[in-house]
Amino acid sequence: MIEIGKYNELRVLSKTEAGLNLTDGDKLVLLPYQYVPKGLEIGENVSVFVYIQKDGRLTGTTQKAYAEVGDFAFLKVASDGDDGVFLDLGIDKDVYVPTKEQKRPMQKGYKYVVYLYLDENNDRLLASSKLYDFVEEENFDFEEGDEVSLLITEETDLGFNAIINNTYIGLLYHNEVFDNIQIGEHRKGWIKKIRVEGKIDLTLQPSGYGHILDSKEMMLAELKKSGGVIELGDKSSPEEIYHRFQISKSAFKKTIGSLYKERLIMLSDDSIRLITDEDAE
């Protein structure tokens, strides 16, 4: 079965004046000659992105699309249309966003996070910036502490909303973000908490004892490279700590606390120092 708005592996059936006829054994897809890979012969398979032309004909391209149907993606408005705008999908087929599917008015030249889907009436490729209409709100396939992929969608008063694993939506709180985050950016993240009402709190740093073990090794290595002293301590700001180690202040305090208990470092409000053999004596 051919999936419109996605890549399909199809067999070359025949040649026409306009291009190659491809098939899945049932329907035909036209692959125009400008998209035909060199050396492709009848009977061979080729992967193409399939869409519907205005005349209703199934058409394929070997160009690389930025996203497929069912994906959330960060796309640029290429042009204005009647009652909507067209987004650049990276191929010679733009994606239409009806005005009613725009969370806020979309302007030419700007990029927006959208969801790609098919018009249920005619299988036309469409997109929407009303993301909450397309995310799952239950049956989560992860647990607290799991690593996930994130797509940053917008900044709010509380923090940054992000699409999780191309399926769910969660929140990164402002007071736990110490890096420069951009809308449309893909990030690695972790599930911090799944609330009773189904809302998901996210973090950009892993948690748990395994993470502390990794941080301890990194901290000791940094101390040795820095001559045994690092000018950061309990009174240092979260931003200073993140800039140096890419971990939160909470993780930093747990790490140096563990190293201190093992008598590997000495602590002050503004620095940590590696204990030497002379100190041990």
Side-chain angles (χ1 to χ4, degrees):
M1 178 180 177
I2 292 176
E3 295 185 278
I4 299 170
K6 294 187 176 185
Y7 282 91
N8 295 254
E9 190 78 14
L10 303 176
R11 180 171 55 87
V12 180
L13 182 65
S14 61
K15 294 182 179 181
T16 70
E17 291 185 1
L20 300 182
N21 278 327
L22 311 179
T23 183
D24 63 342
D26 181 22
K27 296 182 179 180
L28 293 181
V29 174
L30 175 68
L31 178 62
Y33 281 119
Q34 65 261 41
Y35 307 130
V36 175
K38 186 176 181 180
L40 185 65
E41 299 291 343
I42 292 175
E44 295 181 339
N45 287 352
V46 62
S47 178
V48 295
F49 184 93
V50 178
Y51 59 91
I52 294 182
Q53 294 279 27
K54 289 182 178 180
D55 60 7
R57 182 172 53 180
L58 288 175
T59 303
T61 178
T62 52
Q63 294 175 298
K64 179 60 179 175
Y66 297 139
E68 298 179 273
V69 163
D71 287 343
F72 293 90
F74 191 48
L75 303 178
K76 185 176 182 179
V77 177
S79 61
D80 298 320
D82 296 334
D83 300 320
V85 299
F86 290 92
L87 304 178
D88 178 13
L89 190 57
I91 62 177
D92 292 339
K93 174 66 176 179
D94 293 334
V95 183
Y96 187 61
V97 187
T99 301
K100 66 178 182 178
E101 289 297 330
Q102 298 176 29
K103 183 176 180 180
R104 300 181 184 87
M106 301 171 79
Q107 301 178 35
K108 183 178 178 180
Y110 288 85
K111 299 183 75 173
Y112 303 86
V113 177
V114 297
Y115 179 80
L116 272 64
Y117 66 101
L118 295 179
D119 189 318
E120 60 183 13
N121 296 317
N122 55 21
D123 283 337
R124 184 184 186 187
L125 190 57
L126 299 176
S128 173
S129 60
K130 296 182 177 180
L131 307 183
Y132 277 94
D133 291 344
F134 302 94
V135 295
E136 296 287 340
E137 298 181 342
E138 54 187 15
N139 300 322
F140 303 129
D141 59 0
F142 47 69
E143 299 177 350
E144 293 180 4
D146 283 358
E147 180 180 319
V148 292
S149 63
L150 304 177
L151 171 61
I152 309 302
T153 62
E154 65 176 341
E155 185 174 5
T156 70
D157 291 339
L158 294 176
F160 292 88
N161 286 333
I163 297 296
I164 307 166
N165 292 347
N166 198 50
T167 306
Y168 311 96
I169 197 163
L171 176 66
L172 289 162
Y173 288 93
H174 275 305
N175 62 357
E176 297 183 7
V177 174
F178 310 108
D179 203 359
N180 183 24
I181 289 183
Q182 302 294 327
I183 305 304
E185 184 179 4
H186 288 273
R187 284 274 186 147
K188 180 168 64 176
W190 284 263
I191 303 298
K192 182 178 181 181
K193 185 170 184 173
I194 301 174
R195 299 185 177 275
V196 176
E197 64 274 23
K199 295 187 181 300
I200 303 168
D201 294 344
L202 301 168
T203 178
L204 295 179
Q205 295 88 35
S207 59
Y209 187 64
H211 175 50
I212 298 304
L213 289 177
D214 292 340
S215 297
K216 284 167 60 177
E217 294 178 4
M218 176 269 294
M219 195 75 66
L220 289 173
E222 285 295 313
L223 278 163
K224 291 174 183 178
K225 285 197 301 184
S226 302
V229 179
I230 292 177
E231 301 297 331
L232 289 172
D234 192 55
K235 298 295 185 182
S236 300
S237 70
E239 291 76 17
E240 291 175 310
I241 292 168
Y242 189 86
H243 179 73
R244 179 64 187 270
F245 299 116
Q246 284 73 56
I247 60 176
S248 66
K249 184 169 183 178
S250 173
F252 173 77
K253 292 175 69 174
K254 288 178 182 177
T255 301
I256 62 175
S258 181
L259 291 172
Y260 178 76
K261 288 179 182 178
E262 295 176 31
R263 299 188 177 183
L264 295 174
I265 63 172
M266 298 178 68
L267 301 176
S268 72
D269 287 344
D270 300 304
S271 69
I272 53 178
R273 184 165 71 87
L274 194 63
I275 290 179
T276 64
D277 293 337
E278 294 179 1
D279 293 323
E281 294 174 0

